[in-house]
Amino acid sequence: MAFKTLASFVSVLAALQVASGALTRRVACPDGVNTATNAACCQLFAVRDDIQKNLFDNGECGEDVHESLRLTFHDAIGFSRSAEANGTFGGGGADGSISIFASIETNFHASLGIDEIVGEQAPFIARHNLTVGDFIQFAGAVGVSNCPGAPRLQFLLGRPNATQPAPDKTIPEPFDTVDSILARFLDAADFSPAEVVALLASHTIAAADEVDPTIPGTPFDSTPELFDTQFFIETQLRGTGFPGTAGNQGEVLSPLPGEMRLQSDSELARDSRTACEWQSMVNNQSKMMTAFAAAMAKLAVIGQDVSQLIDCSEVIPMPPPPASAAHFPAGLSNADVEQACAETPFPTLQTDPGPETSVAPVPPS
């Protein structure tokens, strides 16, 4: 009797293992090269290869990657829960409206200059069978994968196309107060202050063109080609100015020649609600990677019914490993830090050897 019971249990276990295997069995894609856990993801391999070669210059972490990542944010954040609750249209979130209604949304003050990447992505959207919202988020995730130290971002497929433009004033700007920025993120998708800080890790591979048009391509940290923690370090250093016209609306003095510091970043780095979270990223690459990936996963589905989306994250390439360690730029040290976190001392970091050097602008695509 015991043997029969054991045999029955083994048979059930075997059946469960077969069923589990069936659920995870990969399907061969029509291209004869790739496989996927869901056949719907097969179409993405061709899109990935096309944009890696022809949009991102064979996998570089350059200007088009920075701008594609910026576009994911500008498209998705255009959503207001409070407006919806009051019976007015609050936007569609990550639905492609910024490209579908480009003549309207790229003229919003917060999105000035973004028309360039919208235009560059348009031919790719036209030749691939993806909705615009899906393409924007997919291109952002693939682009970030080219940056050493970046996390592999989630990508879910199946967003419907926008039917109307997002409302203006839903994208935070560099001259906004910390109060208004945190309130805007809370209204969009219940982002916590810590999640706002995590999203701003995107500035480690970012540069500004429109904040100060006289110095286009000015990066926000000294290593814009690397997804590292330098952004969180350098925003906490005392601003001493650099050749340029620092003082434009939304811009404050930076400690490094050739580097730009946004007013909003400077204030978030020093605000009591965000300063300790900001400082916690300084020498914790793994935390920054994990927090950014989680916050981006939340951003990328604002306004969407996640139950209707298909997980195709496996198509996103695995990014290169981190290529630098946290450090002070040459000539700077802990003595140059404006300590803002009242709970924990600023970490002790090594200083790069050599004389102070200027940060080069990010070359245009």
Side-chain angles (χ1 to χ4, degrees):
M1 186 71 175
F3 176 79
K4 289 183 179 180
T5 301
L6 177 61
S8 176
F9 173 78
V10 170
S11 297
V12 170
L13 180 61
L16 288 172
Q17 289 174 332
V18 169
S20 176
L23 289 173
T24 58
R25 185 176 296 127
R26 301 181 68 81
V27 298
C29 294
D31 62 10
V33 176
N34 295 292
T35 63
T37 54
N38 190 306
C41 302
C42 285
Q43 62 178 313
L44 296 173
F45 290 105
V47 185
R48 180 195 67 190
D49 295 345
D50 188 10
I51 60 178
Q52 283 286 62
K53 179 180 179 181
N54 299 307
L55 180 62
F56 299 139
D57 300 321
N58 294 310
E60 288 187 4
C61 181
E63 174 70 4
D64 286 321
V65 167
H66 310 160
E67 289 302 304
S68 292
L69 180 57
R70 181 185 177 214
L71 189 62
T72 67
F73 172 74
H74 281 241
D75 187 47
I77 202 67
F79 184 77
S80 171
R81 295 186 301 165
S82 60
E84 295 282 341
N86 291 331
T88 59
F89 180 64
D95 62 357
S97 68
I98 197 165
S99 294
I100 295 171
F101 300 98
S103 62
I104 297 173
E105 290 195 39
T106 62
N107 286 308
F108 294 164
H109 187 269
S111 291
L112 293 181
I114 212 164
D115 58 320
E116 183 175 343
I117 190 62
V118 168
E120 288 187 28
Q121 289 189 0
F124 297 91
I125 294 171
R127 65 175 172 258
H128 293 290
N129 187 30
L130 287 183
T131 65
V132 182
D134 277 349
F135 182 87
I136 288 173
Q137 297 302 323
F138 183 68
V142 171
V144 168
S145 76
N146 296 327
C147 304
R152 189 189 201 188
L153 298 183
Q154 181 185 69
F155 174 71
L156 305 183
L157 176 73
R159 297 164 185 78
N161 271 329
T163 57
Q164 54 186 310
D168 197 1
K169 310 297 185 183
T170 52
I171 302 171
E173 299 210 52
F175 50 80
D176 289 345
T177 66
V178 173
D179 285 346
S180 65
I181 291 171
L182 295 182
R184 176 78 278 277
F185 276 96
L186 187 68
D187 182 36
D190 201 26
F191 283 104
S192 68
E195 288 174 318
V196 174
V197 171
L199 282 174
L200 287 170
S202 61
H203 284 185
T204 190
I205 54 169
D209 288 325
E210 297 295 327
V211 176
D212 188 339
T214 67
I215 45 173
T218 306
F220 298 144
D221 77 6
S222 58
T223 55
E225 74 286 357
L226 302 177
F227 196 94
D228 60 14
T229 65
Q230 287 306 118
F231 166 72
F232 291 102
I233 296 168
E234 292 165 24
T235 47
Q236 292 191 252
L237 299 173
R238 291 185 181 86
T240 56
F242 66 92
T245 56
N248 283 4
Q249 189 178 36
E251 178 188 0
V252 297
L253 295 177
S254 170
L256 295 178
E259 181 179 287
M260 179 179 291
R261 179 183 293 173
L262 297 181
Q263 175 183 317
S264 52
D265 289 341
S266 180
E267 292 180 0
L268 282 160
R270 291 158 176 78
D271 189 275
S272 60
R273 292 162 289 185
T274 48
C276 288
E277 186 67 20
W278 196 282
Q279 182 177 291
S280 74
M281 303 289 188
V282 162
N283 61 345
N284 197 334
Q285 176 79 22
S286 61
K287 175 180 178 177
M288 183 184 71
M289 293 168 66
T290 301
F292 179 70
M296 281 296 295
K298 185 172 178 177
L299 175 83
V301 294
I302 291 177
Q304 304 303 310
D305 181 354
V306 177
S307 70
Q308 300 301 305
L309 303 181
I310 300 167
D311 192 344
C312 295
S313 305
E314 62 187 323
V315 183
I316 306 301
M318 191 65 69
S324 67
H327 62 274
F328 289 117
L332 300 170
S333 68
N334 279 73
D336 298 290
V337 173
E338 288 185 333
Q339 176 67 29
C341 176
E343 301 171 8
T344 311
F346 196 87
T348 299
L349 306 175
Q350 291 186 336
T351 296
D352 274 356
E356 180 180 300
T357 57
S358 178
V359 181
V362 174
S365 58

